[in-house]
């Protein structure tokens, strides 16, 4: 590149984009300079990660409090957590930003969570998918009623696929009983596990070593179905 201007076409996927410019000459490379970040795009495309460290991304998450008690989910540096009305069963939703999912992929969700209360109090939570960031649009339950102990971090996992491609939202539903513990989630990731439309594994795989140990003959039968059957 010899010009002093550059035009790029950014992808549709949401991300924080930046550019690094390094001057070069026959004598070598100069000092690199990096632009400020450009926040751009619509729905996230897996892999999607959230460590709750970037304050600018907080407004992309949606909360819904069905108790209408001015409590529920909050975001802070490194975590998302709930504050409770101890006199009532919790009914608080946290929705992720929009995520574009394909019907021919399987996905793996992982996150860390723990209860925040003292003693032996429990916190309970359900995790799933919604077609919009509202409780009425919750469509798929991925993890049913986790029970978490106070200040004991645990990792949770769920593999899933969707029947229809489209835009979805992860939801985290605090359903802790009255007088239970508040809860925290952190270190969230959603990754592509495999393509279900890809061929299934080969069958009858065998390897026969050649005389003298200088090679092998390998045979197998080709798959006749896709990975999801």
């Amino acid at each position: 590149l010899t010009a002093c201007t550059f035009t790029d076409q950014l992808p549709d996927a949401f991300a924080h984009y930046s550019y690094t410019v390094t001057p070069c000459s026959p004598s070598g490379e100069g000092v690199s300079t990096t632009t400020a970040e450009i926040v751009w795009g619509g729905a996230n495309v897996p892999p999607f990660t959230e460590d709750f460290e970037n304050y600018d991304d907080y407004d992309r998450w949606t909360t819904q409090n069905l108790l209408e008690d001015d409590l529920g989910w909050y975001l802070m540096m490194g975590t998302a957590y709930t504050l409770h009305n101890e006199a009532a069963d919790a009914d608080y939703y946290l929705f992720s930003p929009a995520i574009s999912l394909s019907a021919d992929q399987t996905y793996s969700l992982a996150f860390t969570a723990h209860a925040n209360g003292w003693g032996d109090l429990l916190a309970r939570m359900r995790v799933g998918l919604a077609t919009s960031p509202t409780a009425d649009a919750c469509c798929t339950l991925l993890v049913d009623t986790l029970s978490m102990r106070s200040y004991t971090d645990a990792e949770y996992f769920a593999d899933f696929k969707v029947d229809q491609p489209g835009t979805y939202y992860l939801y985290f539903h605090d359903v802790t009983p009255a007088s239970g513990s508040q809860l925290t989630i952190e270190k969230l990731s959603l990754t592509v596990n495999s393509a279900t439309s890809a061929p299934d594994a080969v069958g009858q795989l065998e390897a026969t070593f050649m005389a003298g140990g200088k090679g092998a003959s390998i045979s197998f039968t080709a798959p006749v179905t896709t990975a999801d059957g």
Side-chain angles (χ1 to χ4, degrees):
L1 178 66
T2 58
C4 293
T5 60
F6 171 72
T7 301
D8 190 20
Q9 181 67 46
L10 293 176
D12 293 333
F14 177 89
H16 293 254
Y17 298 93
S18 63
Y19 296 87
T20 298
V21 179
T22 304
C24 303
S25 74
S27 300
E29 294 186 354
V31 177
S32 298
T33 303
T34 300
T35 68
E37 286 188 340
I38 302 170
V39 179
W40 172 263
N44 291 272
V45 176
F48 167 71
T49 60
E50 180 59 78
D51 58 11
F52 301 104
E53 294 286 354
N54 193 327
Y55 183 84
D56 292 336
D57 286 347
Y58 286 6
D59 61 0
R60 303 185 69 236
W61 290 74
T62 303
T63 61
Q64 186 176 11
N65 178 354
L66 297 187
L67 298 183
E68 299 181 351
D69 57 4
D70 297 324
L71 298 172
W73 285 97
Y74 294 86
L75 305 180
M76 64 178 293
M77 297 304 288
T79 64
Y81 66 98
T82 56
L83 294 178
H84 281 180
N85 179 346
E86 295 184 356
D89 294 345
D91 199 1
Y92 307 128
Y93 284 85
L94 176 67
F95 295 92
S96 75
I99 303 173
S100 180
L101 300 179
S102 171
D104 64 356
Q105 304 276 6
T106 60
Y107 299 95
S108 294
L109 172 66
F111 61 93
T112 300
H114 65 255
N116 290 339
W118 298 106
D120 200 36
L121 295 177
L122 285 175
R124 291 191 170 92
M125 178 174 64
R126 297 189 183 107
V127 182
L129 293 175
T131 53
S132 67
T134 177
D136 293 338
C138 295
C139 60
T140 303
L141 185 63
L142 301 179
V143 184
D144 188 11
T145 315
L146 300 173
S147 293
M148 293 160 281
R149 295 287 180 181
S150 297
Y151 293 104
T152 301
D153 279 334
E155 291 186 287
Y156 299 95
F157 305 92
D159 293 335
F160 69 94
K161 61 177 295 187
V162 295
D163 294 330
Q164 297 294 328
T167 300
Y168 293 87
Y169 302 78
L170 294 168
Y171 74 80
F172 300 85
H173 184 197
D174 186 347
V175 291
T176 302
S179 299
S181 173
Q182 300 164 8
L183 62 88
T184 290
I185 61 172
E186 52 194 7
K187 300 176 183 176
L188 183 152
S189 68
L190 178 64
T191 57
V192 176
N193 191 9
S194 65
T196 58
S197 60
D200 201 0
V202 300
Q204 300 178 4
L205 177 63
E206 294 182 357
T208 303
F209 289 101
M210 295 180 178
K214 295 184 178 180
S217 175
I218 300 174
S219 64
F220 56 87
T221 58
V224 296
T225 61
T226 59
D228 64 351

